Amino acid sequence: MKALFDISSLKCSKIVTNTYSTSFSLGIKLFAPSIRPAIYAIYGFVRYADEIVDSFEDYKQEALFYDFVDDYKKSLERRISLNPIINSFQEVVHKYDLYTYADDFLKRMEADLEVTDYTTKEDYENYIYGSADVVGLMCLRVFVNNNEEKFNALKLSAKHLGSAFQKVNFLRDIKDDTENLGRSYFPNLANATLNDTNKKDIIMDIEEDFQEAYKGVIQLPIESRLGVYIAYRYYIKLLKKLKKADSKKILNGRIRISNPIKFYILTKSLIRYKLNAF
């Protein structure tokens, strides 16, 4: 029965999510059960695509990536894939009309196979949109259950939240991206290294994204609001640590949030949620 295969496919997507991101997994657990499977499916798919272009340098990345894309394209026509991660995702794509967003995402992942520097603001923003904003928009389609009016009202904030998360990741991972992947994402770092001056400009840009994102976070449907809010608070805390750290510290290591602080963020967010004090 395909139903059993679909169930096992979703379990695989959940395993991928739990393996690669403890913070994101925690956020999903706070979503309503009705929307968790679709979010696991989205995360599993985008994580695997990202891993191919970022982590499989000892293998034929280009061939692996195009095989992955080809399997996905075939799954849309067949409505099934023997790759369980793709099988889960294609069902969500059909249900929530995510075709364009998925295509935009894959185009940006394809760029990572060749492009190493984003020297113009336009190239940088296009990459952010395709690698992060569209993921937020895919999740938003699930959160609002295809309600077009709600989606259109919240999509700008969703894009800002996706941008903020991605930019924080870029700043946090700048050492690994530069040394291991040979990539530079921030245009103001073209032909330059991170210093306290250009770091300040990057932080200000991210803070503006978070300010716009918050307007939408507090308007999300009840089924998803708490989980997204906790992820928002976690990244705000991470940004504050990056802001306090000097540029040399960021370049020499990976800034992290300790588990006790994560628990504090979770507890405080739960209290605010119950008091409706966002």
Side-chain angles (χ1 to χ4, degrees):
M1 293 178 61
K2 185 172 183 294
L4 289 177
F5 178 63
D6 290 341
I7 290 172
S8 66
S9 295
L10 277 171
K11 287 182 178 178
C12 289
S13 295
K14 182 177 180 180
I15 289 171
V16 170
T17 306
N18 292 338
T19 300
Y20 280 97
S21 178
T22 55
S23 300
F24 197 76
S25 298
L26 176 61
I28 294 178
K29 289 176 183 177
L30 296 170
F31 292 156
S34 60
I35 64 176
R36 289 178 201 162
I39 303 303
Y40 282 130
I42 291 171
Y43 185 90
F45 182 84
V46 300
R47 171 51 63 185
Y48 265 22
D50 189 60
E51 284 300 300
I52 292 170
V53 299
D54 277 359
S55 304
F56 298 166
E57 63 275 1
D58 294 330
Y59 302 89
K60 295 181 179 179
Q61 288 171 289
E62 186 172 311
L64 289 171
F65 178 75
Y66 288 124
D67 283 348
F68 185 80
V69 174
D70 188 52
D71 286 346
Y72 163 66
K73 297 293 185 182
K74 289 177 180 177
S75 77
L76 294 180
E77 179 183 348
R78 298 170 176 173
R79 290 185 175 266
I80 190 172
S81 172
L82 294 183
N83 179 323
I85 302 303
I86 293 176
N87 186 59
S88 294
F89 184 65
Q90 62 85 20
E91 287 209 348
V92 176
V93 171
H94 285 304
K95 182 176 181 179
Y96 295 100
D97 189 20
L98 306 182
Y99 308 101
T100 300
Y101 300 129
D103 286 346
D104 287 343
F105 172 77
L106 291 172
K107 287 177 184 176
R108 295 287 75 76
M109 292 302 98
E110 182 180 16
D112 270 345
L113 292 170
E114 298 180 356
V115 181
T116 57
D117 294 287
Y118 293 87
T119 56
T120 69
K121 184 178 181 181
E122 181 181 5
D123 288 342
Y124 172 63
E125 290 179 348
N126 285 338
Y127 183 84
I128 292 288
Y129 173 78
S131 66
D133 294 5
V134 295
V135 179
L137 293 172
M138 285 192 279
C139 291
L140 181 60
R141 295 289 302 182
V142 176
F143 296 158
V144 302
N145 195 25
N146 281 336
N147 184 304
E148 292 294 338
E149 183 178 353
K150 291 180 180 178
F151 178 78
N152 289 329
L154 296 172
K155 67 179 182 180
L156 182 59
S157 292
K159 288 171 63 177
H160 279 292
L161 188 62
S163 292
F165 285 175
Q166 183 73 299
K167 291 171 187 176
V168 170
N169 288 339
F170 285 163
L171 185 57
R172 178 197 61 190
D173 299 336
I174 195 168
K175 180 178 186 291
D176 184 62
D177 286 339
T178 302
E179 295 180 1
N180 298 328
L181 299 178
R183 292 190 196 137
S184 177
Y185 292 104
F186 297 109
N188 59 339
L189 296 188
N191 302 315
T193 188
L194 184 72
N195 57 53
D196 289 341
T197 299
N198 53 37
K199 189 198 84 169
K200 182 179 179 180
D201 293 335
I202 292 170
I203 295 288
M204 288 177 60
D205 177 53
I206 300 173
E207 288 175 336
E208 290 176 4
D209 277 323
F210 273 126
Q211 289 173 7
E212 293 302 314
Y214 181 76
K215 299 174 184 177
V217 171
I218 60 176
Q219 297 181 61
L220 285 169
I222 195 71
E223 292 85 357
S224 59
R225 191 183 307 154
L226 178 60
V228 175
Y229 179 72
I230 288 174
Y232 167 86
R233 293 305 312 175
Y234 167 78
Y235 269 88
I236 285 286
K237 184 64 177 179
L238 183 54
L239 182 64
K240 288 181 178 178
K241 287 198 72 172
L242 289 165
K243 187 174 184 177
K244 289 181 180 179
D246 61 42
S247 56
K248 290 183 180 179
K249 184 174 182 180
I250 295 173
L251 287 169
N252 289 327
R254 199 169 191 257
I255 304 296
R256 299 178 184 272
I257 301 296
S258 67
N259 288 331
I261 295 299
K262 288 181 181 178
F263 181 75
Y264 171 77
I265 293 171
L266 172 62
T267 303
K268 188 174 181 180
S269 297
L270 281 169
I271 292 172
R272 287 190 173 187
Y273 177 77
K274 291 187 184 231
L275 295 175
N276 196 25
F278 284 139

